[in-house]
Amino acid sequence: MRNYAIVTAAYWGFTLSDGALRMLVLLHFYRLGYSPFTLAFLFLLYEAAGIGANLIGGWLATRHGIRRMLAVGLATEIAGFCLLSALSPSWGAALSVVWVVVAQGICGVAKDLIKTASKSAIKLTAPDGASTLFRWVAWFTGSKNAMKGAGFFLGGLLLEGIGFRAALWAMAAALACVLAGVLLSLPP
């Protein structure tokens, strides 16, 4: 139960920041006057990279362990946040879009590495019995959706309160604390 709680808390922290990232990017670039098509394009690599990471995530988790995959996913998300925070307002629209698409792609990989490792952890930590596993997965999935929704609100709040770059740094720092907690709490 302890390991399930640790993995779930790490996944919640990640999901909250990932939802906030989506709103942060969407609202920031909407404010800058980007077209609806360009706004949708900003998330293209995020989703496409996630597909690839999802395909190999389970294999990586069984080969390298869930703790390592959670750590790699969290570190990858932090790197994506830092890369995105380096975006300069002086860059042209084309370079800005390419930069954001690449940073979002990195975050898409992180999302599916963490999701796959977290769901694998549920399978390993659930007590015997299909009904218990089903309940734990249902609760995990439902709570993930609630955290994603809270993250959308958080992204808008952070953008309005502290701005785009500072919000990314704050989320990266929060995820670094989650990463430290995973590394210190979960067994290898």
Side-chain angles (χ1 to χ4, degrees):
M1 188 68 168
R2 176 185 174 276
N3 292 338
Y4 173 76
I6 293 167
V7 169
T8 300
Y11 191 67
W12 284 352
F14 171 81
T15 302
L16 187 64
S17 71
D18 194 58
L21 173 67
R22 289 184 187 203
M23 275 300 121
L24 202 59
V25 168
L26 181 67
L27 296 174
H28 176 70
F29 285 92
Y30 174 77
R31 275 185 177 172
L32 295 177
Y34 284 72
S35 73
F37 178 77
T38 304
L39 292 173
F41 186 75
L42 294 175
F43 295 92
L44 183 65
L45 191 57
Y46 174 87
E47 296 300 339
I51 292 168
N54 217 7
L55 289 172
I56 63 165
W59 176 78
L60 289 171
T62 57
R63 184 171 175 92
H64 298 290
I66 291 169
R67 181 179 128 187
R68 184 176 292 165
M69 292 315 303
L70 281 174
V72 167
L74 289 165
T76 303
E77 182 83 346
I78 292 167
F81 286 177
C82 291
L83 183 65
L84 197 51
S85 75
L87 181 69
S88 174
S90 66
W91 295 350
L95 179 58
S96 293
V97 167
V98 168
W99 191 269
V100 172
V101 168
V102 169
Q104 290 273 81
I106 290 168
C107 292
V109 168
K111 174 190 66 146
D112 281 302
L113 289 177
I114 290 173
K115 180 174 67 175
T116 304
S118 297
K119 288 185 178 182
S120 298
I122 293 172
K123 233 175 148 179
L124 292 175
T125 58
D128 291 335
S131 66
T132 303
L133 177 62
F134 179 73
R135 274 186 272 133
W136 281 24
V137 168
W139 191 83
F140 183 82
T141 302
S143 67
K144 172 198 77 138
N145 294 337
M147 294 306 285
K148 179 78 72 178
F152 292 163
F153 178 75
L154 178 63
L157 185 66
L158 286 171
L159 181 63
E160 192 65 31
I162 62 176
F164 184 70
R165 182 170 285 140
L168 289 165
W169 290 340
M171 291 189 315
L175 280 184
C177 292
V178 171
L179 174 58
V182 164
L183 292 174
L184 295 172
S185 302
L186 279 180

